[in-house]
Amino acid sequence: GLVGSAVAVDSLRPRSVALGLLILACGLAARCSTAYLVVGGRGLRWQERLFTAMAWVPKATVQAAIGGLALDEARGEEERRRGRDILAVAVLAILATAPVGAVA
C-alpha cells in the first residue's frame, strides 16, 4: 500500500514529530554543508557548489521502502506506538526531501 496511509495524523505525538523534524533538519544541514565544502577546492562557482549540495540531498527512497517495517513487525502496544512514530518520521522525511530532490 501507500507509505503514508497508515499514519493517523490525530494520533501523532507532537514531541516525536518535533524530534524527528529536528533530526532531519540537522542531518540535511550537515549533509548540504559538507557537500558544499567538499567541492569548494574544485574551481566551481558558488552556484555550481550550491547545485551539487542540493543534488546530494537524499531523496527518501529508503524511507519509502522500509518506513513501515517497524510497524509491520511490532508485537506489543509499545512497539506499535514506536512503529507509528517511525513511520510518521519516515513520511515527514519523504515530504521534506522529495521536493528538494525534484528541483535539483
Side-chain angles (χ1 to χ4, degrees):
L2 298 174
V3 173
S5 64
V7 177
V9 177
D10 58 339
S11 70
L12 294 178
R13 295 181 313 149
R15 185 173 190 275
S16 296
V17 173
L19 283 173
L21 288 173
L22 178 65
I23 291 169
L24 181 63
C26 289
L28 288 174
R31 187 170 179 150
C32 286
S33 300
T34 302
Y36 186 84
L37 294 173
V38 165
V39 296
R42 300 289 178 200
L44 300 175
R45 296 187 324 247
W46 72 268
Q47 294 96 338
E48 295 166 327
R49 293 171 64 189
L50 181 62
F51 176 79
T52 302
M54 297 300 286
W56 285 356
V57 168
K59 311 311 185 277
T61 51
V62 173
Q63 288 87 342
I66 65 172
L69 286 180
L71 186 56
D72 290 342
E73 298 294 324
R75 292 188 185 93
E77 186 54 40
E78 179 65 19
E79 287 182 1
R80 279 192 287 279
R81 183 185 59 78
R82 290 178 189 225
R84 285 190 295 271
D85 288 345
I86 291 170
L87 181 59
V89 172
V91 170
L92 288 172
I94 293 167
L95 293 174
T97 60
V100 175
V103 170

